[in-house]
Amino acid sequence: IYYKLSDPARLESRVDCVVESSLLVPLLAVLNETSLYATWIPSWSFPISFGVQESIQLKQVSRVQQIIHFTAKVPWPMSARDIVLRATACDDIKEDNAILIRMKSLAGPADDPVVPEPSSSVVRADFEGAILIRPCPEHKRPANNKGNHLLVSLKLYVDPHLDSIPVSLINFVTRTVIGTMWSMLLQVAEGVRDGKRPQHQEAIEQKPALYEWIQERIQVLLGQLHNEQSNHRDDQLVGSSEQSRGSSTAGGAYLQG
């Protein structure tokens, strides 16, 4: 987990995580089922009060786009914050062998009629982020290097509209909140994969066309990944064979001399 403050009150963070390919569809399902966020996103009352109070899907724009409204509690005496996000999944498998999920905050009804004006007791924060899923580079793969692995990267920018962010809040968010939420996301995805999350399973079963399409696209991604790995192994074998022939030729020339 990496982070920095680009302005006195603008937080930037990045998370990179290697996952086994069997987690990809469950991971996308957990991210997509926003109505179930309350069942797994943690909140804290100690050492400070912080967490998501509510998440509501305002609109399913298309198969790959939705608008979500989050409300979060923050430490007193600050007012609660809310964010309205437009999340859009981009299928870039054919060109770059990747899946991208873009997230950008919406300010109000001018951006989309379903976006409510913030209430008087809440301050609307700005958010921009992306999740990139792509084949895992060789140097990041697990030591045993068995199975297909993917690299999932999250990058986010948050402006909570504060003159400055208290150091205690920065430390808590960067050292505890981001890591814990990411860990919970992976745990829930594992539960979905292993059949231990009945609410998610029910939600998936209610949208067969969507998840069959997701499964089909993931198979294309994994097929291309398999082909790349096979080509890489073939290149290594060819290189090793040429090196062996070169060494043999060099040795023969020496003996002839």
Side-chain angles (χ1 to χ4, degrees), residues 6-221:
S6 55
D7 288 314
R10 179 179 167 92
L11 174 66
E12 299 183 26
S13 182
R14 175 176 171 174
V15 180
D16 289 330
C17 180
V18 177
V19 301
E20 211 279 323
S21 60
S22 65
L23 267 186
L24 188 48
V25 173
L27 184 66
L28 292 173
V30 176
L31 291 170
N32 183 65
E33 297 302 330
T34 53
S35 63
L36 295 176
Y37 281 4
T39 67
W40 64 270
I41 291 182
S43 61
W44 292 263
S45 57
F46 181 85
I48 62 175
S49 177
F50 189 88
V52 175
Q53 290 180 308
E54 189 176 47
S55 64
I56 301 173
Q57 185 192 77
L58 299 178
K59 184 179 181 181
Q60 185 74 44
V61 182
S62 68
R63 179 166 61 179
V64 296
Q65 186 179 107
Q66 56 182 303
I67 297 174
I68 316 131
H69 186 195
F70 296 94
T71 305
K73 61 179 181 180
V74 293
W76 183 88
M78 293 182 287
S79 299
R81 259 56 183 176
D82 79 342
I83 297 175
V84 180
L85 287 182
R86 186 194 305 273
T88 307
C90 306
D91 181 343
D92 200 22
I93 295 172
K94 184 176 180 180
E95 296 297 327
D96 293 319
N97 207 17
I99 296 171
L100 178 66
I101 302 171
R102 296 181 180 274
M103 299 165 284
K104 187 172 178 58
S105 58
L106 305 176
D111 293 324
D112 193 288
V114 301
V115 180
E117 294 284 0
S119 69
S120 58
S121 60
V122 171
V123 175
R124 181 148 296 166
D126 293 329
F127 180 96
E128 187 172 356
I131 297 174
L132 179 63
I133 302 170
R134 62 194 189 279
C136 185
E138 190 76 30
H139 68 281
K140 287 184 176 289
R141 290 179 186 169
N144 59 25
N145 201 22
K146 292 181 179 179
N148 292 323
H149 291 87
L150 299 155
L151 181 63
V152 181
S153 300
L154 165 68
K155 191 167 186 179
L156 58 86
Y157 307 83
V158 183
D159 184 352
H161 292 287
L162 291 168
D163 293 334
S164 63
I165 303 178
V167 174
S168 60
L169 182 57
I170 294 172
N171 291 338
F172 186 70
V173 169
T174 55
R175 297 176 184 177
T176 301
V177 173
I178 296 175
T180 301
M181 291 182 67
W182 190 258
S183 177
M184 284 298 300
L185 171 64
L186 296 178
Q187 287 181 38
V188 175
E190 289 176 352
V192 172
R193 179 194 62 190
D194 299 338
K196 298 178 180 179
R197 303 289 298 195
Q199 288 178 291
H200 283 86
Q201 192 62 45
E202 182 180 353
I204 291 169
E205 290 172 356
Q206 290 174 354
K207 303 166 187 170
L210 171 63
Y211 285 103
E212 286 171 8
W213 175 74
I214 290 175
Q215 184 70 55
E216 185 271 329
R217 298 308 299 154
I218 296 306
Q219 290 307 311
V220 173
L221 172 65

